[in-house]
Amino acid sequence: MAAQTFKAGDKVAHRSWGAGEIVFGPFLRDGSEDNYLMKALSNGEHRLVDSPAMTIASKFNVGDKVRGVYSDDIYTIEAGPFRSAYGEWYATKDEDGDVGHNDADSLKAVETTEDASLKEGDVVRTLHDNAFHADVKAGDLFEVRAFAPYFPDRIKVDAGPGARMAQWTFRPQDFEKVGADKAAVHDGVVYDLTARYRDKDGDVWRFERCPDGEVHGAWTSRAIDEYDETLAETVRDYGPLTRV
């Protein structure tokens, strides 16, 4: 079988270096004419590679939300990619649940709320059930623990006790960043500051991030201020806290 040919600008997946982009080639090297210069997308480094180690990267993944370029309809990628003489295509499901097919060039990614300043320690909210095959529900909160190797736009979060995996991986379209006024992390637990929590004595607490930067709480209806117990103190003295 003849080696696959690539061109500058092609997005590829390399078996050792992960996602990359062809910047030059093909060219002759060591008697072979299928050599390329590839830029690794994880860190921007350039690598000398050959075609047997690469495949064309898929434009979309199963579960992605996409929009029709011409129809403006929203679809979910159900299967694919499939390739024919006419190019790459996918099985897609529309918002009515009907499954059909669309060419890759007739689809574009749905814009997301990805925040370029996202960093480890930030809190994110999942946007739909079973995001990227994880056992999660839309609205679940997680702390960003790391960024996925070779895919710097994907994040890793701790899955939690009893989950079938230690961590989940999410793509930008699977989550949105939650502001510091809406969530807080203490001792590895994410607390929703828009919710209420019941302590071990049955009292129900509200929490807010105050001007001092700390999260404080109160179990009465009065305004919360910096003289109230911090979230850490509440957990220590009255925990565990259960969301209600």
Side-chain angles (χ1 to χ4, degrees):
M1 179 182 296
Q4 185 171 2
T5 301
F6 304 91
K7 63 182 185 302
D10 282 350
K11 297 294 192 299
V12 296
H14 191 277
R15 66 188 177 199
S16 297
W17 306 116
E21 179 180 345
I22 300 299
V23 296
F24 181 73
F27 58 88
L28 178 67
R29 179 173 177 264
D30 296 334
S32 171
E33 297 180 350
D34 62 348
N35 295 281
Y36 298 85
L37 185 63
M38 184 197 82
K39 181 174 72 174
L41 298 185
S42 60
N43 54 21
E45 294 182 356
H46 289 75
R47 305 282 185 177
L48 288 174
V49 296
D50 57 18
S51 61
M54 296 184 296
T55 58
I56 289 289
S58 301
K59 187 175 182 180
F60 305 110
N61 295 300
V62 172
D64 284 357
K65 293 290 186 182
V66 295
R67 186 184 298 275
V69 173
Y70 307 108
S71 67
D72 209 38
D73 292 335
I74 298 294
Y75 302 95
T76 301
I77 300 296
E78 290 292 293
F82 304 103
R83 293 185 172 87
S84 69
Y86 301 101
E88 183 177 304
W89 63 275
Y90 294 83
T92 55
K93 182 169 67 177
D94 63 22
E95 293 180 294
D96 294 326
D98 296 327
V99 176
H101 68 277
N102 283 279
D103 295 334
D105 291 340
S106 69
L107 300 172
K108 62 182 178 180
V110 172
E111 293 183 1
T112 69
T113 57
E114 178 187 4
D115 187 338
S117 66
L118 194 69
K119 61 186 183 301
E120 292 181 18
D122 283 344
V123 175
V124 297
R125 177 187 293 110
T126 51
L127 296 177
H128 47 268
D129 295 348
N130 304 315
F132 206 37
H133 315 298
D135 294 335
V136 298
K137 299 293 185 183
D140 286 350
L141 299 179
F142 295 94
E143 179 187 9
V144 178
R145 302 295 292 171
F147 291 85
Y150 307 124
F151 296 96
D153 61 341
R154 298 183 183 182
I155 61 170
K156 288 186 173 294
V157 302
D158 289 341
R164 59 185 171 83
M165 298 182 66
Q167 289 189 320
W168 302 124
T169 298
F170 297 133
R171 306 158 300 176
Q173 62 265 44
D174 300 321
F175 65 86
E176 63 182 0
K177 182 179 177 180
V178 178
D181 61 328
K182 297 291 192 298
V185 181
H186 171 66
D187 200 21
V189 178
V190 181
Y191 292 88
D192 186 348
L193 301 186
T194 67
R196 298 184 179 223
Y197 289 84
R198 191 183 308 277
D199 68 16
K200 64 182 180 181
D201 298 322
D203 294 321
V204 176
W205 291 72
R206 300 172 294 112
F207 294 97
E208 292 181 10
R209 192 173 297 277
C210 294
D212 65 352
E214 291 285 345
V215 174
H216 296 262
W219 53 268
T220 63
S221 59
R222 64 173 174 76
I224 298 172
D225 59 34
E226 298 174 11
Y227 296 100
D228 287 311
E229 285 94 343
T230 65
L231 173 61
E233 290 169 342
T234 307
V235 172
R236 180 194 67 199
D237 298 335
Y238 305 102
L241 302 181
T242 304
R243 181 171 175 167
V244 297

